Amino acid sequence: MTTKKAGAAAAPEDTPATAAPEDTPARPRPRRAPRTEERQRDAERSRALLLDAALEEFARHGLAGARVQDIAARAGVNKQLISYYFGGKDGLYRELQRGWAEQEAMFTEENTPLEEVAVQYLERGLADPRPARLAVWRGLAGDDQHTPEEASAIGTDLERLRRARERGEISDDLDTGFLRLAVMGMVMAPIVMPHTAREATGLDPWSPEFRERYSEQIRLLLRQLATTDPGSARGSG
C-alpha cells in the first residue's frame, strides 16, 4: 500500500486541488483570516447596529427597563459585543448621548434664524421620535447627568439665542435659558404627546399636513418675540 509523502505541499487557494480518493474525506480549505479593513468594517457595522437597537429599546423601556439580551437580539449580534465595544449597557447609553450632542453641534449654521432652528428640530423629532421619548424617560428616572458633549451643546444653544437677540429676533427682556426651555417644550409636545396634538388640532401629528401647519405656527409665534426696534436690542446675557 502506498503512503502519502510527508511534507507534501497544499494546493494553492487559487488552483483546484486534485480530487481525493473516494475513501479519503476531503479536507476543508483553511479559512482566510480577515484583513484589517474587513475587521474594521465589521466592528463599525456591529457598533452601528447596537446603537440603533439600543435607541429603540431605551425609547420603549427607558435605561432601567431595557435588557442587554433584547438589544443584542434586535441588532442581530452577540450580546458580549455590548461589553466589548461599550463597556456594558450604561456605556452604550452614554455613547448615544455623546453622538446626539455631536450631531446637534453641527446641526445648523451659526446665524440661522431662531424660527428656522426650531422648525428643523421639529422636523428631526417627527422623523425619528425615539430621542425625544428617551429624553422623557431620562426625566422620569431623575437622570440629570450630562456628558461633556451635551453640556457643550446646551451652551451652543444659549449662545445661538444670545446672537438671535442681538439681531433683534428676541426681545431683550426675555431670559435665554427660560426661552430655550419654552422652545424645547413647543417642539417636543407633539412628539411625546401625539394623542394631545391630535385632539387639539384634528390632525395626525405624523402626517405631512400637521408638520407643515405646525411649522408655520411655530414661525409665526417666534416672530412675536422680536423687538419692535431691532436697533434697541442690547444683547445682554
Side-chain angles (χ1 to χ4, degrees):
M1 181 176 66
T2 58
T3 58
K4 195 181 255 186
K5 293 183 180 179
E13 288 190 7
D14 57 351
T15 58
T18 304
E22 291 183 4
D23 58 348
T24 304
R27 295 181 179 178
R29 271 187 201 175
R31 294 183 64 185
R32 176 181 60 81
R35 298 187 180 92
T36 301
E37 59 270 21
E38 291 175 341
R39 289 196 299 270
Q40 183 175 350
R41 283 197 300 270
D42 287 343
E44 290 172 353
R45 178 177 177 274
S46 295
R47 284 174 59 89
L49 288 170
L50 283 169
L51 286 168
D52 188 71
L55 176 56
E56 187 70 29
E57 291 297 316
F58 291 152
R60 288 174 179 266
H61 308 291
L63 174 61
R67 302 193 306 167
V68 166
Q69 53 264 44
D70 291 339
I71 294 172
R74 183 178 290 277
V77 301
N78 191 308
K79 69 179 183 180
Q80 300 300 326
L81 289 180
I82 294 177
S83 295
Y84 181 75
Y85 290 129
F86 304 102
K89 185 172 73 169
D90 287 345
L92 188 54
Y93 185 61
R94 288 192 296 272
E95 181 64 18
L96 282 172
Q97 292 175 280
R98 187 190 65 79
W100 294 331
E102 287 184 350
Q103 291 175 21
E104 287 193 12
M106 302 180 292
F107 183 41
T108 56
E109 296 181 4
E110 184 174 334
N111 292 315
T112 302
L114 175 59
E115 63 184 70
E116 295 305 323
V117 173
V119 167
Q120 288 177 35
Y121 272 110
L122 174 69
E123 291 176 347
R124 284 181 67 190
L126 291 174
D128 185 358
R130 296 175 300 174
R133 290 172 178 166
L134 180 52
V136 173
W137 275 109
R138 289 180 64 184
L140 293 173
D143 177 11
D144 57 358
Q145 299 297 314
H146 288 97
T147 64
E149 292 83 4
E150 283 184 308
S152 176
I154 292 171
T156 298
D157 280 350
L158 294 175
E159 180 59 31
R160 182 183 291 126
L161 287 170
R162 284 191 285 268
R163 288 196 299 267
R165 185 164 57 191
E166 290 172 359
R167 295 193 300 268
E169 295 178 34
I170 302 170
S171 174
D172 58 354
D173 58 354
L174 290 173
D175 182 280
T176 54
F178 285 100
L179 180 58
R180 182 180 186 271
L181 287 177
V183 174
M184 283 182 63
M186 182 167 54
V187 167
M188 290 183 66
I191 300 167
V192 300
M193 297 185 296
H195 57 290
T196 301
R198 188 176 296 109
E199 292 169 2
T201 67
L203 296 172
D204 179 357
W206 313 116
S207 68
E209 184 181 3
F210 176 89
R211 183 176 309 185
E212 180 180 351
R213 293 184 61 182
Y214 193 48
S215 295
E216 184 55 32
Q217 289 297 306
I218 287 176
R219 291 188 178 97
L220 290 172
L221 182 59
L222 291 180
R223 287 170 195 165
Q224 304 306 309
L225 304 179
T227 58
T228 54
D229 177 10
S232 67
R234 295 189 295 272
S236 56

